Amino acid sequence: MQPLFNHYFEPLAAVGAGPDGRNCLAYTAEEDLAHERFCAQLRALGVVPQQDAWGNSYGTWVGTGDEGCGPLIAIGSHLDGVPNGGRYDGVLGVAAALVVLHRLQQQGWPGRLRVIAWRGEESARFRSSCLGSKGASGLLTEPMAAQRLDAQGVSLRQAVQGCRGQAPSPVAAGMALLELHIEQGPLLARLGRQQQRPVVGVVSAIAGSRRQRWQLPNIGVARLAALLLAVHERVATLDSPEQPLRVTFTPVQGAPNVGRDHTLLRCRDPQQAALLAAVGSGTVCGPNVRFQGPHTFHSGGQPMNQREGVDQIIVAARAVVASSLNEGLQWPDFQVQAGFHLQLDLRAGDAARMTEALAQMLPLVQGVGGQVVELGETPADALSSSWAMQMQEVAQRLGIAVLPMVSGAGHDVQVPPLSHKGLLFIASQAQGVSHHHSEAVQMDEVVAGLRLLEAVVVAHAAQGGA
Ligand SMILES: [Zn+2]
C-alpha cells in the first residue's frame, strides 16, 4: 500500500515545498496547482473532476452497482497549509482518499465514493478557517466573502474568482463524510511507542474553545513561572488522554520578540510553562546555564522556525528549571515587561470541564493582581458517536489498535450539516508540534489508517448507510 500512497501523496505534497516547509496558502497559485494535480489524479482513475463555486475540487465514482443503490460516501481533506507548514496536514487525507478509491476500483466494489479536496482550510491568509467546506455548506456567503480581506486587502470573494467552478456543492443530503488527518498532538505517537504498534485515532468530537486575555501587572519572572505552574497543576487534574484539555498561552503584548512557535508556549508541561516565563523576560540566568530568551530563537526579525533552535531552548530551559527547583534556588527576579498580556486558548470536548478549568484559573490570575478579558468562544462539535463506535468495531476485526479521542483542532469534516461524519487520526512523529515543517509520519501507521479508512467505507456501504 505504501507505493500507492506515495504515488498520490508526493505530487500533492511537493507543491510549494521548500527547505523551510511547504507554502501553499488558501486561494493562491500554489493551491490552484495542487488542485490541478488532484484533478489529474482523478482523471487517471477514470473519474471526471468538478469544481464548485468555492473552488473545491471533487469527483464521484460509481461502482459496478446501480447508481442509487448504495449510500453516497465521501472522503475529503484540504491541500492548503500554513506558511512553512508540514507536508502531511491535509495532503495526507486527500492522498488517502485517492488510495481508497484506487483500491476499491480494483476490488470491483459496487458502492459510490466521492473524493473531495477542500479549499482554504487554514486561517493563515483570511483569518478564518474551513473556507471551502463552509462555502459548500452554505455557512459562508458571497457578501461575507466580499468583506473578508487578507493582509494585502484582497477579498476572499476576489480570491475565489480564479478557481470558481460551475458544479454543485459536493455536500449532498444524506451523504456520509470521512476525513483522515494527521494528529496535531503527541498522544498517538506516544501510545504507538509504548505498545510498539500503530495506533489510529477515532475522533468522536471536536473540542470547543474559550479565549481570554490575561492582563498581568509587572510581576517578576519567578511569580509568572509560579502562576503558570499553578495553572498547570490545577488543569492537569481535569485532563486525561481520552478527554484532553489543551491550554495554549501566547504572549500578545509586552514580549514582542517571542516567536510564534507554539511548541514553546504550551502549558501541558510545567517546564515549558516555566519556559514561557523565561522567554517572556528576555534573558534568564540559572545557576548552571545562561541563555538568551527571545534572541536565541530569532534572527533578522523573522520568527524562529527552526526545530533545532527550538530544541536548544527547551533543553536549556529544562536545565535551568530543574536545577533551580531541585536545589531550592531562587531565580533572579528579572522583571516581566509592564503590561504583559498573555492570550489563553483553552480547548476541551465538553463545556463543563472548560468552565471548571476557567473557574480554577481565575483566582490565580486575580491573586497576582491580573485581569481577565473574555475574547470569545467556539462551542464543541460532536461527530457521529454511533459511527465512531462502529469504526472501533471495524478496527477490532482488522486487528488495528485505536484510541478514542477528542480533536483539539477544527477540521473540514465537522462543517457540513450531515448526520454521518467521521474523523480518523494518524500519529504525528513531531512531539506534538502541529502546523510545522517538522511534521512526520511512520509508514506503518499511515498504512493502518488507510486500511481502517477503506474498511469503514466498505462496512458503511454494506449496512446501507445506517
Ligand atoms: Zn489540516
Side-chain angles (χ1 to χ4, degrees), residues 291-302:
F291 71 97
Q292 295 286 110
H295 307 293
T296 313
F297 59 101
H298 253 264
S299 59
Q302 295 295 311

Side-chain angles (χ1 to χ4, degrees), residues 78 89-90 121-122 181 184 411:
H78 58 100
D89 183 352
E121 193 269 347
E122 300 289 354
H181 202 280
Q184 290 167 309
H411 293 284

Side-chain angles (χ1 to χ4, degrees), residues 1-76:
M1 216 182 281
Q2 181 175 347
L4 195 59
F5 174 76
N6 288 340
H7 171 75
Y8 290 108
F9 175 77
E10 291 298 337
L12 301 175
V15 177
D20 294 328
R22 185 171 177 272
N23 284 286
C24 184
L25 291 187
Y27 295 106
T28 57
E30 287 77 23
E31 197 193 29
D32 289 346
L33 176 59
H35 278 251
E36 278 167 31
R37 290 187 179 183
F38 168 74
C39 291
Q41 290 174 327
L42 281 179
R43 269 187 227 104
L45 286 163
V47 175
V48 179
Q50 295 182 285
Q51 269 82 36
D52 74 356
W54 297 90
N56 298 306
S57 306
Y58 66 100
T60 312
W61 180 69
V62 181
T64 50
D66 298 330
E67 184 167 6
C69 275
L72 177 60
I73 304 172
I75 313 176

Side-chain angles (χ1 to χ4, degrees), residues 34-372:
H35 278 251
E36 278 167 31
R37 290 187 179 183
F38 168 74
C39 291
Q41 290 174 327
L42 281 179
R43 269 187 227 104
L45 286 163
V47 175
V48 179
Q50 295 182 285
Q51 269 82 36
D52 74 356
W54 297 90
N56 298 306
S57 306
Y58 66 100
T60 312
W61 180 69
V62 181
T64 50
D66 298 330
E67 184 167 6
C69 275
L72 177 60
I73 304 172
I75 313 176
S77 196
H78 58 100
L79 293 172
D80 67 310
V82 299
N84 302 327
R87 307 176 78 214
Y88 297 94
D89 183 352
V91 181
L92 171 73
V94 175
L98 290 162
V99 169
V100 170
L101 173 57
H102 183 121
R103 284 172 51 89
L104 290 178
Q105 283 183 339
Q106 286 184 328
Q107 293 162 23
W109 179 69
R112 289 189 294 157
L113 185 67
R114 178 166 290 172
V115 176
I116 307 172
W118 301 110
R119 286 269 180 175
E121 193 269 347
E122 300 289 354
S123 57
R125 182 173 175 197
F126 287 103
R127 296 185 317 286
S128 178
S129 60
C130 301
L131 299 170
S133 52
K134 281 178 183 162
S137 305
L139 300 169
L140 181 64
T141 62
E142 293 286 331
M144 285 158 74
Q147 280 175 9
R148 189 153 282 282
L149 308 180
D150 72 3
Q152 271 69 48
V154 178
S155 75
L156 172 58
R157 189 155 185 259
Q158 282 171 281
V160 173
Q161 292 302 333
C163 61
R164 201 181 274 286
Q166 304 289 319
S169 161
V171 178
M175 180 178 93
L177 181 61
L178 282 165
E179 180 163 359
L180 179 86
H181 202 280
I182 188 166
E183 188 197 0
Q184 290 167 309
L187 291 177
L188 290 170
R190 200 180 292 157
L191 203 59
R193 275 195 301 277
Q194 279 167 10
Q195 300 190 0
Q196 298 190 320
R197 58 176 177 168
V199 180
V200 178
V202 176
V203 180
S204 58
I206 294 183
S209 69
R210 281 282 289 271
R211 292 172 297 284
Q212 292 182 336
R213 177 172 299 159
W214 292 4
Q215 299 179 347
L216 301 175
N218 193 358
I219 55 175
V221 170
R223 285 183 74 200
L224 180 55
L227 168 68
L228 295 175
L229 286 165
V231 166
H232 172 265
E233 276 162 19
R234 295 201 178 183
V235 166
T237 62
L238 299 166
D239 184 37
S240 71
E242 299 76 30
Q243 293 281 323
L245 197 67
R246 202 174 78 178
V247 183
T248 308
F249 286 106
T250 314
V252 288
Q253 190 177 314
N257 286 328
V258 172
R260 289 169 56 209
D261 196 312
H262 290 218
T263 330
L264 291 170
L265 307 174
R266 216 162 264 168
C267 194
R268 292 286 293 274
D269 170 343
Q271 292 170 336
Q272 286 191 16
L275 171 63
L276 171 58
V279 296
S281 72
T283 304
V284 171
C285 296
N288 304 316
V289 185
R290 177 190 160 89
F291 71 97
Q292 295 286 110
H295 307 293
T296 313
F297 59 101
H298 253 264
S299 59
Q302 295 295 311
M304 175 73 192
N305 220 355
Q306 299 292 326
R307 182 72 214 166
E308 308 76 51
V310 172
D311 280 340
Q312 280 170 15
I313 296 269
I314 290 175
V315 168
R318 287 199 164 144
V320 171
V321 174
S323 58
S324 53
L325 292 180
N326 289 342
E327 296 166 27
L329 294 171
Q330 293 284 316
W331 285 20
D333 200 14
F334 284 95
Q335 294 296 296
V336 174
Q337 290 185 46
F340 183 55
H341 292 189
L342 282 177
Q343 186 165 316
L344 164 72
D345 184 319
L346 175 68
R347 297 185 182 203
D350 65 289
R353 266 171 342 109
M354 209 141 54
T355 306
E356 172 64 17
L358 292 173
Q360 297 268 346
M361 291 182 206
L362 183 62
L364 297 172
V365 182
Q366 289 170 335
V368 297
Q371 285 185 338
V372 169

